[in-house]
Amino acid sequence: MELSVPSFTVEATPSLLDDGSDTHCENKKRSSELASMDVDVKRNAGMGGSAKNTAKDSVKNTTKDNVDAFCVDVFVSSDVVQSIHDKVIAGYWLVKAVLDVSITRGANKNKLFRGTGIFEDTLQPNSLISIKQYQSLLANVQSQTKGADVSFLLGNALASQWLRSPLHVLQTCDTLQELLTHLVQHQAFRWSSMPLCQYQRFDIHGKIILVPLFTPANVKMAQFVSEIGFATLIALLKGIGKQRVPASFSFTCPRPKNIADFETHLGLKLTFNCPVSSISFEKSALHESLSASIDSASDMTNEPALATHAGLTLSPLISLPDYVRSHVYQSIRSGHSGSALPELAEKLTISPATLKRKLKEFNTSYRQLSEEVWRNYALILLSVYKANNEEAASKMGINDLPNFRRTIKRLTGKTPSELRLLNT
């Protein structure tokens, strides 16, 4: 089994010169720091074969790659999930988690599966379902279950099954840093844990900040899927790493009435009415060794369920919306101006019209995805890194400061100065 390499990473280092040092030196250092805030789009490696034979070597070798290197590449067209009907999700454990939670919260099993094309009696540990099927299943969960904490319970239910799912190989990780990298940046694991949510990673001020990006753009489900993703990630880190990892969360929504549910499942470090939803970890907390790390996956050969899913092949496929996002980041880095849609369509060996049609299937468009990339980048630069206008404009490839201010206002609804006053 091989693991994929991170899809994109943005790194920045905080300024250390806050004591009135020479202005020229400080500006020079900040320029150097901002030079490191760039995009890393790495090509995914293949993933297939039996988990129990090669898991340890694969996890170790992939983690040794420099995830902060400024390498830009793209996935070949065959590695891109271009339809929400393609069956790429390891659905057995996801569906089981849905049933375990939903039935106890008043849902009718038959109604849960209605319109999904999923049939419980045919599900096996090696079964794959599509993005559309899983999205429809979660929509039914939302409409039929009672309780504001269902999303958090779903995340915990999914994480509780990690030892019997393809995620079991992650107990070979030595540190929480390795574990987090695999969970949020390696596409193969994404399809067996958080298939509707991909994370964009920023390394800033000694923190790792993860911004959720949704595969099918569905505004009604965005908050629900975010809560599932956050709860799943925290529970997996705790379950596999055998320790709770301090994390801070920001949400764009107002403070909810069921704040106790958030605190129970995510912790007390919660902020609402933020410019961007995110989860952040202190880097120092992630370097600790995992006492539960094992030397090989062979210790699990006696697990009853292992043989039934050992033949399951999960490819490190990237969804079309995430592929577009990574392409837009390349455009930002290269200073490309104008629409890159024709260029992207050519790389996918399809026509621009076909690309537009396929993105519409995901309920999004090239423009929406492009603006999302620019908006998140601007929010991180201005509200988290606190870059001045000249620095932020330079990183975003905008030479005209009045145009930069207009662009930020259009993308975020706030001026650069207003964004710098925000805390995320």
Side-chain angles (χ1 to χ4, degrees):
M1 178 183 289
E2 295 178 15
L3 306 179
S4 59
V5 184
S7 54
F8 45 85
T9 297
V10 180
E11 181 185 61
T13 309
S15 175
L16 302 177
L17 301 176
D18 297 325
D19 56 355
S21 302
D22 181 76
T23 303
H24 174 73
C25 293
E26 180 172 355
N27 290 339
K28 183 176 181 180
K29 182 169 183 61
R30 283 185 62 83
S31 297
S32 175
E33 292 166 355
L34 281 166
S36 70
M37 277 192 78
D38 235 320
V39 180
D40 178 20
V41 185
K42 290 190 174 183
R43 183 183 181 84
N44 274 9
M47 178 176 178
S50 172
K52 63 183 180 181
N53 293 329
T54 59
K56 179 69 175 179
D57 291 340
S58 296
V59 170
K60 298 305 175 190
N61 291 339
T62 305
T63 306
K64 289 181 183 298
D65 287 341
N66 181 4
V67 298
D68 294 326
F70 307 141
C71 170
V72 177
D73 202 349
V74 296
F75 297 77
V76 296
S77 59
S78 60
D79 290 334
V80 181
V81 181
Q82 298 188 27
S83 172
I84 60 174
H85 300 288
D86 291 343
K87 294 188 175 183
V88 294
I89 298 174
Y92 179 82
W93 296 273
L94 298 171
V95 174
K96 187 176 185 304
V98 167
L99 289 176
D100 289 346
V101 172
S102 301
I103 301 302
T104 62
R105 287 307 180 95
N108 178 283
K109 182 186 291 187
N110 294 327
K111 291 182 179 179
L112 276 176
F113 288 120
R114 184 174 296 171
T116 65
I118 300 173
F119 302 95
E120 185 187 10
D121 57 351
T122 64
L123 276 177
Q124 300 295 326
N126 61 352
S127 297
L128 297 176
I129 62 176
S130 70
I131 295 170
K132 175 63 175 177
Q133 288 177 311
Y134 188 54
Q135 183 183 19
S136 298
L137 182 63
L138 289 187
N140 288 345
V141 171
Q142 265 192 301
S143 64
Q144 295 183 37
T145 53
K146 300 175 182 179
D149 62 344
V150 170
S151 57
F152 300 116
L153 295 178
L154 276 174
N156 282 284
L158 172 60
S160 69
Q161 304 178 71
W162 69 270
L163 188 58
R164 294 178 180 271
S165 78
L167 297 176
H168 76 281
V169 299
L170 292 177
Q171 66 182 314
T172 62
C173 292
D174 284 333
T175 65
L176 285 169
Q177 171 83 14
E178 292 179 13
L179 179 56
L180 181 66
T181 297
H182 291 311
L183 282 174
V184 304
Q185 292 182 261
H186 294 154
Q187 298 294 328
F189 291 125
R190 175 257 185 101
W191 298 114
S192 56
S193 58
M194 298 168 279
L196 301 187
C197 181
Q198 176 73 10
Y199 288 96
Q200 176 184 355
R201 170 175 164 165
F202 297 87
D203 292 5
I204 298 179
H205 296 334
K207 294 182 179 181
I208 294 176
I209 301 174
L210 304 175
V211 177
L213 306 170
F214 306 109
T215 300
N218 187 324
V219 176
K220 293 182 179 180
M221 291 184 64
Q223 181 66 25
F224 188 67
V225 173
S226 286
E227 292 170 7
I228 294 175
F230 286 164
T232 300
L233 183 57
I234 292 299
L236 283 171
L237 288 173
K238 182 179 179 181
I240 300 175
K242 301 296 186 291
Q243 54 189 288
R244 191 176 183 98
V245 185
S248 301
F249 298 85
S250 68
F251 296 91
T252 56
C253 65
R255 181 182 174 88
K257 294 181 180 179
N258 64 320
I259 186 64
D261 295 325
F262 283 74
E263 293 175 344
T264 298
H265 297 281
L266 302 181
L268 301 178
K269 296 181 179 180
L270 306 167
T271 310
F272 299 93
N273 289 311
C274 297
V276 63
S277 292
S278 67
I279 174 174
S280 63
F281 303 90
E282 295 289 342
K283 276 188 174 181
S284 57
L286 297 176
H287 292 307
E288 298 181 18
S289 297
L290 298 181
S291 57
S293 177
I294 61 175
D295 291 332
S296 72
S298 60
D299 293 353
M300 293 170 290
T301 53
N302 293 325
E303 276 293 317
L306 181 61
T308 60
H309 72 76
L312 176 63
T313 299
L314 292 175
S315 299
L317 305 173
I318 186 172
S319 72
L320 182 59
D322 291 322
Y323 179 84
V324 172
R325 292 180 181 114
S326 68
H327 184 81
V328 172
Y329 268 104
Q330 293 181 73
S331 299
I332 294 175
R333 189 187 184 199
S334 63
H336 181 78
S337 59
S339 175
L341 188 145
E343 177 187 349
L344 179 57
E346 182 179 356
K347 290 182 178 180
L348 289 169
T349 65
I350 58 178
S351 68
T354 299
L355 176 56
K356 291 179 181 178
R357 176 175 55 79
K358 288 179 178 290
L359 286 173
K360 188 176 181 180
E361 187 178 306
F362 285 89
N363 196 33
T364 189
S365 66
Y366 181 88
R367 179 175 179 176
Q368 286 177 297
L369 293 170
S370 179
E371 289 190 346
E372 178 187 32
V373 169
W374 283 94
R375 181 169 57 254
N376 286 343
Y377 200 23
L379 289 171
I380 293 295
L381 277 169
L382 294 166
S383 68
V384 179
Y385 187 75
K386 308 299 183 184
N388 61 41
N389 286 2
E390 289 78 9
E391 293 170 330
S394 175
K395 291 304 298 177
M396 297 179 70
I398 303 175
N399 298 323
D400 184 349
L401 286 182
N403 183 38
F404 166 76
R405 287 189 285 268
R406 286 193 298 269
T407 299
I408 297 301
K409 181 71 174 180
R410 177 177 62 82
L411 289 173
T412 68
K414 297 182 181 295
T415 66
S417 298
E418 290 172 333
L419 289 176
R420 278 189 286 269
L421 294 176
L422 297 175
N423 294 316
T424 58

